[in-house]
Amino acid sequence: MTGRAGAGKTVLLDSLDAALRGAGVPVRRLFLSGDVSGLLGLAASGSAYAQLAAAQAEAVRRQFPAAGALLVRVTDDLNFAGQPPRRTDGSVASAARWAAEHLLSAAPPGLAVLLALEKADADDLGPHPPETIALHPPTPAEARGYLMARLGVPRAEAEELVAETGRHLDRLSLLVRLRGGEAGPHMPALLADPDLQRLIGATAALAASTPHLPSAAWAPELLRAALGTELRQLPPHARALLAGSDALGWTPTPALRAAWTGVAAAERTRALARLANLTSGECRPIRLAALAALEDWPALAAQVRTSPDDARWLPPLWPAIRDGAAGETRDDLAGAVVRHSAGRGDYHDAGLRDALFTLFGAARPRYGPGHASSWPRAVWKPGT
């Protein structure tokens, strides 16, 4: 089947997958997009075009199950470590032609293969083209009717959702699943959508930057800082991953929390960098936690030296500091943790004891006010 983005290829693959498995048919799915050399386990080969083509063919042959169905989604940017797809004779091929030759024509007996392609013309599918279904995005009326039937929303709300989401069946379907709390089995769809990747990265960064408020709702200002834009600028299927309102604050849905484990590192890092640049007083603990999550220990130590009162936000960060920082930077931060806990009289705090032991084990003891040699006098009371 062929169709541009949003035509419903993924929706159809999901439906077929469920139906086949329900009928007891073994199903394997592949999503071939961008550089697939790692996914397919491309072996090293020579630089000749024929050798590259043979390596690509062998890599994809290893993906064939013995029987059942193979459902494959192929995007036009398919490549192998930067090398284009190649036909068996070594010539460069489009993603569609490569898939038709190496997946359809080469499939062993007893294996059914369905390709979902973005575009393919008659030449792409070879001299004996298989049956092809051309998919088209839903019309506005079809999209509106779909949302009204699946979500039970009135016509006006459905029209507004369609206007924001567009005639993109994959996103409309994802919106329905998210609002219905059905996102669990569809995690790959969450991680593949660019708008969702952005939200997942931003909220993962927020979760890492608010250890002092683990269950509190996020203010809209915090979400804006992490996202780099207003939440309302994201499409409805992305906003459906959050529960709440600007007035009450926003909390992540279970589907969003589950998606944090697969978050793109670059998205999370960009959001953490934005949070680490917050300057208002009420955002100090968030800034410190973001610096810790970025493992920018020198910047974290410098912030505490500049504003010693900020040490009160270090105890929840101490385990990460202990395991990640090193040398004088770790000693400085350990000293700040000790001074804060000792000043509060928390002599039996586990973090204080752990920070003290870190100081006692420092390679180069330092002397003078505010350094390691003065901690025992500052902390231990007679008889303790």
Side-chain angles (χ1 to χ4, degrees):
M1 58 181 170
T2 64
R4 69 173 178 82
K9 298 182 296 295
T10 302
V11 174
L12 184 53
L13 288 176
D14 289 344
S15 299
L16 282 171
D17 189 344
L20 289 169
R21 292 179 191 275
V25 177
V27 177
R28 180 165 192 184
R29 291 185 67 164
L30 286 176
F31 180 41
L32 304 181
S33 179
D35 180 9
V36 297
S37 56
L39 174 67
L40 298 183
L42 182 70
S45 68
S47 58
Y49 294 158
Q51 292 174 316
L52 294 171
Q56 293 176 10
E58 177 58 29
V60 78
R61 265 196 299 269
R62 290 196 297 267
Q63 309 305 315
F64 286 140
L70 178 64
L71 310 180
V72 189
R73 173 85 166 83
V74 183
T75 61
D76 291 339
D77 61 351
L78 175 73
N79 69 86
F80 295 82
Q83 283 288 329
R86 295 187 180 276
R87 301 183 59 191
T88 52
D89 62 5
S91 61
V92 173
S94 67
R97 181 60 183 263
W98 179 91
E101 185 169 306
H102 292 291
L103 288 164
L104 280 183
S105 300
L111 178 65
V113 178
L114 174 63
L115 294 182
L117 308 171
E118 291 182 344
K119 59 184 178 182
D121 55 33
D123 291 338
D124 284 328
L125 300 179
H128 305 290
E131 181 180 358
T132 303
I133 302 170
L135 301 180
H136 302 281
T139 65
E142 289 171 338
R144 182 183 65 239
Y146 173 72
L147 292 179
M148 292 173 67
R150 294 294 301 273
L151 295 180
V153 297
R155 181 188 179 100
E157 183 177 351
E159 287 181 343
E160 182 179 351
L161 290 172
V162 171
E164 289 189 80
T165 305
R167 293 162 51 211
H168 194 298
L169 188 55
D170 294 338
R171 290 186 169 189
L172 291 169
S173 177
L174 190 55
L175 170 62
V176 167
R177 294 198 296 265
L178 291 173
R179 283 203 172 187
E182 305 172 17
H186 306 283
M187 197 58 65
L190 300 186
L191 299 176
D193 184 284
D195 290 309
L196 295 182
Q197 283 185 1
R198 186 177 184 184
L199 179 64
I200 293 167
T203 53
L206 266 178
S209 302
T210 52
H212 56 294
L213 298 170
S215 59
W218 296 319
E221 295 79 15
L222 275 183
L223 267 177
R224 180 174 62 246
L227 283 166
T229 188
E230 296 286 351
L231 176 61
R232 64 175 176 270
Q233 297 299 320
L234 295 183
H237 72 286
R239 300 199 302 268
L241 282 170
L242 289 166
S245 65
D246 283 349
L248 300 176
W250 296 95
T251 57
T253 61
L256 181 53
R257 290 181 183 275
W260 291 342
T261 59
V263 64
E267 290 287 356
R268 180 177 181 270
T269 298
R270 282 192 288 268
L272 285 170
R274 288 190 286 266
L275 293 172
N277 285 324
L278 294 173
T279 57
S280 66
E282 60 187 18
C283 291
R284 286 281 180 82
I286 295 168
R287 181 185 184 195
L288 295 177
L291 289 171
L294 289 168
E295 298 186 355
D296 191 347
W297 310 117
L300 181 61
Q303 175 63 36
V304 174
R305 282 195 299 271
T306 301
S307 302
D309 285 347
D310 285 351
R312 60 182 167 156
W313 307 113
L314 290 181
L317 309 178
W318 171 246
I321 295 169
R322 178 196 59 213
D323 297 337
E328 292 188 4
T329 299
R330 184 176 64 178
D331 296 348
D332 287 344
L333 292 168
V337 171
V338 169
R339 287 192 297 274
H340 167 71
S341 297
R344 290 169 53 91
D346 295 335
Y347 299 110
H348 299 290
D349 180 74
L352 178 145
R353 293 197 300 270
D354 192 58
L356 265 177
F357 290 140
T358 296
L359 289 172
F360 289 151
R364 296 192 301 274
R366 292 149 55 189
Y367 301 93
H371 290 298
S373 63
S374 63
W375 300 148
R377 294 191 297 274
V379 173
W380 301 118
K381 303 170 77 174
T384 61

